[in-house]
Amino acid sequence: MNKRISDLLDGYEDGSVELSGETPLSSARIKELTMKRAKGIKRNPWHRAPLRVLAAAAAAAALTMTAFAAARILGAGDLMAGLFEGWGGKPLSVTQVETLNGMGHLFDGSEQFSVTSGGATITPVSALADEDCYYLHLRVEAPEGTVLPDLDWDTQGHYVLYGEEEEGFLRLGVAYSSWEEMDETYYGRGCALFDPGIVRLTGFGYGCETLPDADPTDNVKEIVLTIYSAAFQSIRYNDGRDKQLILGGLWVEHFDQDLDKWTYTQVFSGEFKLDIGGHFESRVAAIDCAGAEWSDPESGQVNRMDMMKLSPLGIKFQFHSNVREENGRVKPQFPGDVRVVMKDGSEVSFAQGNAIYVTKEHWERSDPYFQVTAGMLTREPEWALGSYAAFSAPIDLAQVDYVQFGEDDIYPIRTN
């Protein structure tokens, strides 16, 4: 009878592997990820797979091995690849997964990583970050007896780690090194003291995506929480500085067509205070684009670019616009027709959830939720604005040919 290596993984135990800690991922999920990783390894067809690869795959599925240890074999990118595959609609390449692994951080038993409240447990597993966006992979375990089934987005909604009431809001804090730094860097930006040595940040956006579930009949879900900059913040998500996140539970978010609004149904509540700081590899490509302009012939809006930079995860803009306040409310349009073109001619696609934000001064006196109209324009671009757009799949910065903004091909691209 023919046997596959995946069959051997089902029953293999390695007694030499002695690791402590809880297992945040199911054995089926570990097996799935490990086999996917093994299939993606390029090798000479005349040689068998290296013994270390097979041993690692077997160990990853062994009952005595924690998923945190499996993550060290697989990498943060392997664990979170499903997020981008859902956005892009196709499997990531080995190179793309390795890019994510290089930008990832793994949480393990040496940290205070798992928090239980009200019978539920939330555990950080891995994270990805660039300067302006943070992806946090969480294992969410509802109280015993609660089933977390797969949901149909259109008819049932989706799981989120925030609610519409204040007690359900996300609370994010960042460490400061001195009173002087706190006063100079954070005060005056709508921030408040959070915990000793931590200031609470405001003006950021967030969203949730549920990763593929190996067992939709249990009380566990793997969820990726995305936190991205929505103002000119001092925080850099990949700077290694200590950060703290407080969650209030799990909800199901659903758009009610009859009420014409988003509704939130709480699954469980609690206080989950998570330490999410970490060290991430920084990769940035700066775009020499100062002065490039884009205009909308219908509204007359003009955007003049100040700065643009790429990371493997997304693109950040800072620009000036000629929108002005009307009754204290504005909403500038996206910076313009932006295309990121690779050397093979392909064009990078964007994930949903792009945000436009304004400077601190304008944020304090504006509520950017109305569409720009011709009556809200000034003659010259004078408002400092910004935006961050996440890519639907990671990119290799070395393979970027150019970024097109409006009718201008912008060069050069400098990789730091």
Side-chain angles (χ1 to χ4, degrees):
M1 181 175 64
N2 293 330
K3 279 190 173 290
R4 300 167 297 176
I5 182 64
S6 56
D7 298 325
L8 299 177
L9 290 176
D10 288 327
Y12 179 84
E13 289 193 35
D14 182 359
S16 66
V17 180
E18 297 180 0
L19 297 163
S20 60
E22 298 297 325
T23 303
L25 308 180
S26 68
S27 59
R29 176 73 168 139
I30 296 173
K31 172 184 169 182
E32 172 192 346
L33 292 168
T34 305
M35 291 310 302
K36 185 175 181 180
R37 175 73 162 163
K39 289 178 181 178
I41 296 174
K42 296 180 179 180
R43 62 180 186 271
N44 188 322
W46 294 102
H47 293 81
R48 292 179 297 173
L51 181 59
R52 60 181 177 80
V53 174
L54 299 180
L63 297 179
T64 57
M65 187 171 189
T66 70
F68 290 120
R72 287 196 179 92
I73 296 172
L74 296 168
D78 296 279
L79 295 175
M80 219 179 296
L83 171 71
F84 298 95
E85 291 173 347
W87 283 344
K90 61 181 181 180
L92 296 186
S93 68
V94 174
T95 299
Q96 287 175 310
V97 174
E98 290 298 336
T99 296
L100 295 179
N101 286 340
M103 300 181 70
H105 171 77
L106 298 171
F107 297 88
D108 59 36
S110 65
E111 302 177 54
Q112 192 175 0
F113 58 89
S114 185
V115 177
T116 298
S117 178
T121 301
I122 297 181
T123 305
V125 178
S126 62
L128 304 170
D130 62 12
E131 290 184 359
D132 302 286
C133 190
Y134 188 104
Y135 296 100
L136 179 62
H137 175 193
L138 297 165
R139 180 186 188 270
V140 178
E141 182 179 353
E144 186 175 353
T146 302
V147 176
L148 299 180
D150 289 341
L151 301 177
D152 177 79
W153 181 289
D154 294 325
T155 61
Q156 298 173 295
H158 60 288
Y159 294 106
V160 295
L161 293 160
Y162 46 83
E164 60 182 339
E165 303 296 333
E166 184 174 357
E167 59 269 18
F169 293 168
L170 293 189
R171 287 176 281 169
L172 178 65
V174 60
Y176 57 88
S177 60
S178 66
W179 287 101
E180 291 77 12
E181 181 194 32
M182 182 183 68
D183 184 59
E184 294 175 3
T185 305
Y186 298 110
Y187 274 176
R189 295 178 178 267
C191 301
L193 286 174
F194 195 58
D195 270 353
I198 300 284
V199 288
R200 180 177 177 180
L201 300 183
T202 59
F204 58 90
Y206 44 82
C208 284
E209 295 282 349
T210 304
L211 292 175
D213 192 349
D215 183 3
T217 65
D218 64 10
N219 64 332
V220 176
K221 276 287 182 286
E222 292 177 55
I223 296 175
V224 177
L225 171 65
T226 303
I227 305 171
Y228 56 90
S229 296
F232 283 81
Q233 298 170 329
S234 299
I235 185 173
R236 289 174 53 223
Y237 292 104
N238 64 349
D239 62 2
R241 189 184 291 259
D242 288 343
K243 298 175 183 67
Q244 192 174 92
L245 177 69
I246 299 180
L247 304 175
L250 180 70
W251 287 258
V252 173
E253 181 184 52
H254 178 247
F255 187 77
D256 190 309
Q257 298 287 349
D258 295 331
L259 298 176
D260 193 29
K261 62 176 289 188
W262 290 99
T263 61
Y264 296 82
T265 304
Q266 191 164 60
V267 180
F268 63 78
S269 63
E271 183 177 81
F272 304 87
K273 185 178 293 187
L274 308 173
D275 295 323
I276 64 168
H279 294 275
F280 303 86
E281 180 181 310
S282 181
R283 303 182 188 181
V284 178
I287 314 300
D288 187 10
C289 64
E293 288 191 355
W294 170 86
S295 61
D296 180 9
E298 293 186 6
S299 68
Q301 179 182 346
V302 177
N303 293 333
R304 182 174 298 157
M305 195 65 68
D306 298 322
M307 180 276 290
M308 185 188 300
K309 62 183 178 182
L310 298 172
S311 85
L313 301 179
I315 183 169
K316 180 178 182 177
F317 313 89
Q318 289 185 3
F319 60 102
H320 277 74
S321 181
N322 62 338
V323 296
R324 67 174 176 82
E325 289 180 287
E326 184 174 278
N327 299 322
R329 294 174 177 265
V330 299
K331 181 178 179 180
Q333 295 182 30
F334 197 67
D337 297 325
V338 178
R339 299 171 59 231
V340 180
V341 181
M342 307 300 286
K343 292 179 180 178
D344 63 4
S346 62
E347 188 172 329
V348 178
S349 62
F350 295 91
Q352 296 181 353
N354 301 332
I356 294 177
Y357 49 83
V358 298
T359 59
K360 171 179 67 72
E361 291 79 8
H362 293 142
W363 182 273
E364 290 172 352
R365 58 189 174 93
S366 303
D367 184 13
Y369 291 99
F370 281 4
Q371 183 63 47
V372 170
T373 64
M376 300 170 66
L377 302 175
T378 61
R379 178 173 298 179
E380 290 293 327
E382 60 184 28
W383 278 55
L385 307 175
S387 179
Y388 178 88
F391 298 141
S392 59
I395 66 171
D396 181 353
L397 295 180
Q399 296 303 312
V400 177
D401 191 9
Y402 63 89
V403 175
Q404 182 169 324
F405 174 72
E407 297 181 355
D408 298 317
D409 289 351
I410 300 171
Y411 304 95
I413 295 177
R414 304 187 306 272
T415 303
N416 297 335

